[in-house]
Amino acid sequence: MSFDKENAKKTIENGKAVLGLEFGSTRIKAVLVDEANQPIASGSHEWENQLVNGVWTYSLDAIWGGLQDCYSDLAADVRKKYGIVIENLAAIGFSAMMHGYLAFDKNDQLLVPFRTWRNTITEQASKELLDLFQFNIPQRWSISHLYQAILNGEEHVKDVAFFTTLAGYIHWQMTGQKVIGIGDASGMFPIDSETRDYNQKMIDQFDALVAPKGYPWKLRDILPKALLAGEDAGVLTEEGAKKLDVSGMLKPGVPIAPPEGDAGTGMAATNSVAVRTGNVSAGTSVFAMIVLEKELSKAYPEIDMVTTPTGDAVAMVHCNNCTSDLNAWVGLFREFSETFGLEVDMNHLFGTLYNKALEGDKDCGGIVAYNYFAGEPVTGLNEGRPLVVRTPDAKFNLANFMRANLYASLSTLKIGLDLLLKNEDVKVDRIMGHGGLFKTKGVGQSILAAAMDSPVSVMETAGEGGPWGMALLASYLVNKKDGESLDAFLNEKVFAGSEGVEIQPDPADVAGFDQYIESYKSGIAIEKAAVESI
């Protein structure tokens, strides 16, 4: 769709533009979209978490200063491009990195510094809750943080009147509503996809578990209300407008969408909210999200269960390592070239080496690579040591070496996904790939198709990522027709004609990756020995 500057200007002047804003772990980003849901302006603010008394946190001052600076940056972009100011908007949506713990007392005072998803201080709570619920409760989930505070005997717990996520907190301050999008809620406490609400049986189990402590609250009373995409979540108050736009130009009364987590906005931005669809984000780390037709037969510690912004169950496999080791090897080849006086363009080098991998043996010819810069919970590693291992009779050539390293970038993900696709017989019609691994046309995409034995699509434009996904959810709130599903809205109003390029899995590649993964799993013992020895 071609960009029409005059049309974009009119959209903003008429108060028809929609704003999506997302708090990432290193950047807060705002995206303004027009009536066709195309980005027309953006703003950002860089920020960093702080380690305070052993806890990763962001201060409330950093949160508000960052939000205001990000919005000011967006407003400056609008002034520069169109020579106007933002006075009104059709809708707003706030999203943020999921999980974590923001707890408040009855006077709305923060009880302890914000505990982010990055903290790994809730291992005991996580294990005990998994045993209680028979449902995987990761350490970063809000309920893990609350229960660990109870196990620690923390004084503040008796005073908790409300706890929420970062997106839920921002939304509350903007609207006065203690609500949360169901996708973000699914990182606080397990969701029942039948009732599209918190799992009541598990809430009762938790209340019974902590009853001997005699706290004056019940769990449901202190959780934010879970809302589905498109449901009424309140409007921007006068106080909220002043907090967002310090210039005072933005008028209150703007409808605000249910606040979502970065998983939900990623699903919206990749058009993978429908059952039997999914997306894989592959960069420094890699994760896959598959929208399920039915619940899994049991809990798997390797698989996180969250939901789409409309409450459908989503299985998520998250791995800490993806392209870092690949990038390191490509860097080595660049250094080799420069030693001979050859200046190499990095994009060309990546493309050449990635395409060389496609010439390799389907099983990598006896070479196995481990890309573990960091530990990997899916394979039981607390630390990592990058390794390349081969048999004496391996076909050790450049094509097989590169193929082994490309396989390695997705091997841990494949181990997790095989639990879904093979053990649980989960069906997937379409996977959307996004991130750095897919920049070289067709290569990472075909390797992922082989890993999953599923068609993989990559869009020519990745859009603006999470904040754009949040803008789409806000647009859905005010622009949907009666009874129009989020899936239909995205298909017809946003992604029509931009399905991307699809690659079908090659049966020989699938068989080769399956063969490779057996050697890879057998060799995990080598990786563990390396961690212990070096």
Side-chain angles (χ1 to χ4, degrees):
M1 188 178 287
S2 61
F3 177 68
D4 183 336
K5 185 173 178 180
E6 201 49 46
N7 194 47
K9 181 179 176 181
K10 275 186 193 157
T11 301
I12 299 167
E13 281 181 321
N14 295 336
K16 295 292 178 67
V18 172
L19 171 63
L21 201 146
E22 184 160 284
F23 286 75
S25 52
T26 59
R27 189 161 69 136
I28 305 168
K29 189 166 181 191
V31 171
L32 201 64
V33 302
D34 62 15
E35 289 170 278
N37 298 299
Q38 298 299 307
I40 53 175
S42 64
S44 66
H45 170 83
E46 306 287 325
W47 73 335
E48 279 294 339
N49 54 189
Q50 307 295 321
L51 189 62
V52 180
N53 297 325
V55 174
W56 289 106
T57 188
Y58 299 88
S59 70
L60 294 189
D61 286 346
I63 291 168
W64 291 111
L67 176 67
Q68 290 160 357
D69 186 57
C70 179
Y71 184 85
S72 296
D73 195 44
L74 170 79
D77 191 41
V78 167
R79 279 196 306 277
K80 184 179 169 190
K81 281 180 177 160
Y82 310 108
I84 54 176
V85 296
I86 305 168
E87 291 187 33
N88 210 346
L89 293 164
I92 303 173
F94 297 99
S95 61
M97 47 195 155
M98 289 173 67
H99 320 298
Y101 182 72
L102 279 151
F104 299 87
D105 66 15
K106 64 176 193 263
N107 299 316
D108 298 338
Q109 295 302 302
L110 187 68
L111 289 164
V112 288
F114 171 32
R115 297 170 182 179
T116 78
W117 65 272
R118 191 177 176 187
N119 290 289
T120 50
I121 53 177
T122 61
E123 186 176 7
Q124 185 187 353
S126 172
K127 282 181 177 165
E128 289 188 19
L129 291 175
L130 186 151
D131 290 341
L132 177 69
F133 298 147
Q134 288 302 294
F135 187 99
N136 188 29
I137 307 290
Q139 283 204 50
R140 60 186 181 277
W141 280 29
S142 308
I143 194 65
S144 294
H145 282 281
L146 176 64
Y147 187 50
Q148 190 65 52
I150 291 169
L151 292 173
N152 294 348
E154 292 186 39
E155 187 64 24
H156 82 269
V157 176
K158 70 178 186 325
D159 298 320
V160 175
F162 175 57
F163 76 119
T164 189
T165 63
L166 179 53
Y169 168 63
I170 298 293
H171 183 93
W172 168 39
Q173 296 300 301
M174 291 289 126
T175 64
Q177 302 292 314
K178 293 178 177 177
V179 299
I180 192 171
I182 196 164
D184 203 13
S186 71
M188 290 194 75
F189 192 86
I191 296 294
D192 180 343
S193 286
E194 293 294 314
T195 62
R196 312 267 156 169
D197 196 1
Y198 299 113
N199 186 302
Q200 187 58 47
K201 180 188 169 193
M202 294 181 193
I203 281 188
D204 293 341
Q205 286 175 305
F206 186 86
D207 282 339
L209 176 69
V210 303
K213 301 282 185 187
Y215 296 126
W217 49 259
K218 289 277 197 285
L219 182 58
R220 189 174 276 279
D221 298 335
I222 62 173
L223 280 164
K225 185 183 178 191
L227 297 176
L228 308 185
E231 290 189 331
D232 178 12
V235 299
L236 183 66
T237 61
E238 205 162 312
E239 187 187 21
K242 285 175 189 161
K243 270 191 156 174
L244 178 59
D245 180 10
V246 291
S247 76
M249 298 303 297
L250 182 63
K251 293 174 179 160
V254 182
I256 303 189
E260 264 303 342
D262 48 5
T265 59
M267 286 182 243
T270 54
N271 193 22
S272 42
V273 300
V275 166
R276 293 173 66 130
T277 68
N279 74 90
V280 171
S281 173
T284 306
S285 62
V286 61
F287 64 84
M289 310 191 75
I290 314 288
V291 188
L292 304 177
E293 292 177 281
K294 61 182 192 302
E295 282 189 14
L296 301 181
S297 65
K298 63 175 188 175
Y300 294 89
E302 302 90 346
I303 296 167
D304 293 356
M305 294 301 302
V306 291
T307 78
T308 67
T310 52
D312 286 313
V314 174
M316 178 178 180
V317 180
H318 184 277
C319 307
N320 291 335
N321 303 279
C322 185
T323 58
S324 295
D325 199 34
L326 255 176
N327 295 345
W329 281 113
V330 174
L332 188 75
F333 288 124
R334 179 185 66 178
E335 190 181 339
F336 172 81
S337 303
E338 288 171 348
T339 303
F340 283 89
L342 303 171
E343 285 299 321
V344 182
D345 175 75
M346 283 305 282
N347 287 331
H348 183 57
L349 184 58
F350 268 103
T352 303
L353 290 172
Y354 274 34
N355 278 293
K356 188 70 180 173
L358 298 183
E359 300 171 20
D361 294 315
K362 305 296 188 187
D363 65 351
C364 305
I367 303 169
V368 181
Y370 296 91
N371 65 336
Y372 293 0
F373 265 57
E376 200 57 87
V378 172
T379 46
L381 274 280
N382 290 326
E383 292 180 53
R385 301 290 184 272
L387 282 175
V388 175
V389 183
R390 70 184 197 270
T391 55
D393 60 347
K395 295 176 190 167
F396 190 56
N397 55 42
L398 183 60
N400 281 341
F401 178 80
M402 286 308 301
R403 193 179 188 99
N405 278 286
L406 273 164
Y407 275 10
S409 66
L410 295 172
S411 287
T412 316
L413 184 76
K414 177 175 170 56
I415 290 169
L417 285 172
D418 279 352
L419 296 173
L420 293 173
L421 305 176
K422 295 180 177 175
N423 293 26
E424 293 281 339
D425 198 28
V426 167
K427 297 286 185 268
V428 184
D429 296 331
R430 190 191 77 239
I431 289 287
M432 193 61 69
H434 53 113
L437 185 69
F438 305 108
K439 277 185 183 169
T440 299
K441 208 167 182 178
V443 180
Q445 193 176 354
S446 65
I447 299 289
L448 178 61
M452 296 187 67
D453 193 9
S454 166
V456 174
S457 297
V458 173
M459 287 183 189
E460 292 298 325
T461 55
E464 294 280 349
W468 181 57
M470 192 63 237
L472 298 181
L473 293 172
S475 176
Y476 175 65
L477 172 73
V478 292
N479 294 320
K480 67 182 184 300
K481 296 181 203 142
D482 281 349
E484 185 177 27
S485 69
L486 177 60
D487 178 36
F489 177 83
L490 292 174
N491 278 324
E492 290 157 27
K493 307 260 175 67
V494 182
F495 293 99
S498 62
E499 289 79 18
V501 179
E502 184 177 271
I503 286 183
Q504 294 288 333
D506 177 330
D509 285 348
V510 174
F513 208 146
D514 280 344
Q515 205 174 331
Y516 173 89
I517 211 73
E518 289 310 312
S519 300
Y520 183 94
K521 287 193 281 194
S522 300
I524 293 289
I526 307 167
E527 176 69 22
K528 287 181 176 171
V531 170
E532 289 165 12
S533 307
I534 300 174

